[in-house]
Amino acid sequence: MGRISETVKVLLIINILFFVGTLSLGDKAYELFALYYPKNEHFQFWQIATHMFMHGSIGHIFLNMFMLYMFGSHLEYSIGKDKFLFLYFSAGLGAAGLQLLSLYIGYQTAYQTCLEAGATPEQIQTIIDSVISNGSYYSIPGVSPDTIEQLLSSYMSTMVGASGAIFGVLVAFAVLYPNLPLYLFFIPIPIKAKYLIGAYIIYDLYAAISGANVVGPTNVAHWAHVGGAVIGFIMMWYWKKNQYNQNRWN
């Protein structure tokens, strides 16, 4: 997509440095910098920002950085450095917000079900603490194992990766260049950006709502992808409508 921009270069370097650092620190790095559910004892306010530079595997960081390299520079050259950074981090924060909201809904729904079945808040917390300490828990009469699993998975969930910010960039790119032909490695036919990226977002929305993961790993934060995409769309649509090129920030 052309020469790499300075901002994208810096973002790539920071993400790679964070990933190399996690290889040295191991689980301690994720405990400090991954985004935990706010009720979890490991949650810290800085995780809202640092989780965007954390990745769970080489494949995870490679895919995100490849997408940033392919689309980020082109977008930055079009809208300017300051708007690009504002969009990137806004999409990342929007992604975290929607993902945490989905976890909150899941946690509160399961928590309320346990209360209605006669469990006390202390008993519920004991179950959570038991899983954290030794990986086992006792059941609550009248509460299904799926409900307990929902409670625990929400409480213990962590979020890492730049995917939310990247999805904001992808959708902004599609809004700015909707008819630009793109190619997939395994399909030698050009597909317009609005269709290819749009289809990806629709898949994520379907997976987020249904819980079904057709392709890829099962621990993907689909709501985060959707959240980043929504922010990217709104911001780029607004800037495009108001002719961003005539009022660049830099």
Side-chain angles (χ1 to χ4, degrees), residues 18-36 46-47 50-51 54-55 160:
F18 260 81
F19 184 71
V20 172
T22 61
L23 296 180
S24 301
L25 295 176
D27 292 340
K28 185 63 177 179
Y30 290 98
E31 185 178 309
L32 286 172
F33 301 123
L35 179 57
Y36 282 81
W46 60 75
Q47 295 169 356
T50 58
H51 84 277
M54 300 287 291
H55 290 86
V160 295

Side-chain angles (χ1 to χ4, degrees), residues 185-198:
F185 292 120
F186 49 88
I187 302 179
I189 301 173
I191 305 174
K192 291 182 178 180
K194 61 184 178 183
Y195 297 135
L196 182 58
I197 296 174

Side-chain angles (χ1 to χ4, degrees), residues 42-113:
H42 293 306
F43 173 78
Q44 302 290 342
F45 69 91
W46 60 75
Q47 295 169 356
I48 296 173
T50 58
H51 84 277
M52 286 187 265
F53 299 101
M54 300 287 291
H55 290 86
S57 67
I58 292 178
H60 188 200
I61 189 173
F62 174 80
L63 181 60
N64 277 344
M65 296 303 99
F66 178 74
M67 300 298 277
L68 177 60
Y69 166 75
M70 290 296 293
F71 295 95
S73 294
H74 203 80
L75 184 62
E76 182 185 349
Y77 286 134
S78 299
I79 67 176
K81 179 187 71 175
D82 293 332
K83 278 190 174 179
F84 175 79
L85 281 172
F86 187 71
L87 184 148
Y88 183 90
F89 286 106
S90 294
L93 293 175
L98 189 58
Q99 183 66 22
L100 288 177
L101 177 61
S102 71
L103 292 176
Y104 174 80
I105 292 173
Y107 179 86
Q108 288 299 125
T109 300
Y111 192 90
Q112 189 61 37
T113 299

Side-chain angles (χ1 to χ4, degrees), residues 4-12 67-92 165-170 172-173 176 231-232 235-236 239 244 248-250:
I4 186 171
S5 66
E6 287 301 315
T7 303
V8 169
K9 185 186 300 183
V10 170
L11 288 172
L12 289 172
M67 300 298 277
L68 177 60
Y69 166 75
M70 290 296 293
F71 295 95
S73 294
H74 203 80
L75 184 62
E76 182 185 349
Y77 286 134
S78 299
I79 67 176
K81 179 187 71 175
D82 293 332
K83 278 190 174 179
F84 175 79
L85 281 172
F86 187 71
L87 184 148
Y88 183 90
F89 286 106
S90 294
I166 300 300
F167 268 75
V169 170
L170 289 177
F173 182 92
L176 191 57
I231 296 298
M235 295 180 69
M236 195 67 249
W239 287 337
Y244 62 91
R248 290 165 69 104
W249 292 5
N250 60 337

